[in-house]
Amino acid sequence: GQQVQQSPASLVLQEGENAELQCNFSSTATRLQWFYQHPGGRLVSLFYNPSGTKHTGRLTSTTVTNERRGSLHISSSQTTDSGTYFCAIDRRYAQGLTFGLGTRVSVFP
Amino acid sequence: NAGVIQTPRHKVTGKGQEATLWCEPISGHSAVFWYRQTIVQGLEFLTYFRNQAPIDDSGMPKERFSAQMPNQSHSTLKIQSTQPQDSAVYLCASSLGTEYAEQFFGPGTRLTVL
């Protein structure tokens, strides 16, 4: 089964609303990384967060490794936040990232 | 810092032809990764080099796919006898090479096999 599960699969927001994206993983992970991808664009690293909470602008990443979960909080969403957000984990003894299927976020004015 | 560079950005091949994709990692990064992205399968790990040596190719299809890293400044992914199901965006990433270091991705090469 899917080792990294993201929810929701898609999300529609009105500009200014907050959102919380969830990531749950079944394998033992050493790191969790969040990426953003605009349609047709490159994967942009948002957070590399092994544990705890990190903030960048309106984004907050929280990782609880021993509970095998992470979350990405978007506050005061803007239309430019539209795109797909991927969660990926580093599995122990493996170097390649294992990705979730992503959460597609659409923010309307 | 130009980031990870991938060429070409788009490639169209006919069924049965060969495709070679190029990746230039970030200067100073000793680890290079290849991934494939499709609508159906999502993002899949293919292979990984560290200090130019192949470390893990567990995600590579066993036939027709090969990857090399002849020097520290570039890696290639070669697909022989391309098939329509090989159509995907192929992504290259690099990292500092320390254990579980953060990975930075290139823009990808969109391969279309007709």
Side-chain angles (χ1 to χ4, degrees):
Chain A
Q2 189 72 25
Q3 294 188 44
V4 179
Q5 296 181 327
Q6 291 187 245
S7 61
S10 62
L11 195 56
V12 179
L13 300 170
Q14 189 163 20
E15 201 167 28
E17 290 183 326
N18 300 331
E20 183 120 332
L21 282 57
Q22 302 291 338
C23 176
N24 293 277
F25 40 95
S26 56
S27 300
T28 302
T30 56
R31 302 284 190 271
L32 189 148
Q33 194 165 355
W34 284 96
F35 294 91
Y36 166 79
Q37 188 176 44
H38 194 269
R42 79 166 68 198
L43 280 168
V44 175
S45 179
L46 297 174
F47 292 100
Y48 184 61
N49 186 4
S51 66
T53 299
K54 292 187 173 181
H55 304 275
T56 299
R58 296 179 293 101
L59 302 178
T60 301
S61 164
T62 301
T63 302
V64 186
T65 310
N66 61 358
E67 294 182 10
R68 299 184 180 179
R69 62 179 176 87
S71 65
L72 179 68
H73 184 83
I74 306 172
S75 64
S76 301
S77 61
Q78 300 178 1
T79 56
T80 51
D81 295 331
S82 296
T84 302
Y85 293 79
F86 292 96
C87 164
I89 62 169
D90 276 311
R91 290 171 295 118
R92 194 177 297 278
Y93 309 122
Q95 290 292 328
L97 291 171
T98 300
F99 284 84
L101 295 179
T103 294
R104 187 168 182 172
V105 174
S106 301
V107 184
F108 294 94
Chain B
N1 186 351
V4 176
I5 298 171
Q6 290 190 249
T7 55
R9 293 295 310 277
H10 303 272
K11 186 171 182 66
V12 181
T13 66
K15 182 178 176 181
Q17 293 183 330
E18 182 177 288
T20 300
L21 314 179
W22 295 71
C23 170
E24 181 179 330
I26 293 171
S27 178
H29 282 191
S30 60
V32 169
F33 304 79
W34 285 96
Y35 295 84
R36 175 168 64 180
Q37 185 175 24
T38 62
I39 298 293
V40 174
Q41 298 292 335
L43 282 147
E44 303 173 286
F45 165 75
L46 295 177
T47 189
Y48 155 59
F49 294 84
R50 187 170 64 219
N51 295 322
Q52 300 171 230
I55 302 297
D56 181 356
D57 67 353
S58 58
M60 288 276 274
K62 297 307 177 191
E63 297 180 354
R64 303 186 295 105
F65 283 66
S66 62
Q68 294 183 326
M69 191 162 184
N71 57 59
Q72 64 185 9
S73 64
H74 89 272
S75 174
T76 59
L77 179 68
K78 184 181 292 186
I79 308 171
Q80 295 178 310
S81 184
T82 54
Q83 303 297 310
Q85 62 265 30
D86 299 331
S87 297
V89 177
Y90 290 84
L91 298 167
C92 177
S94 71
S95 76
L96 284 170
T98 52
E99 195 175 32
Y100 309 120
E102 185 176 6
Q103 295 181 27
F104 297 89
F105 282 75
T109 294
R110 180 176 294 277
L111 175 67
T112 302
V113 182
L114 301 176

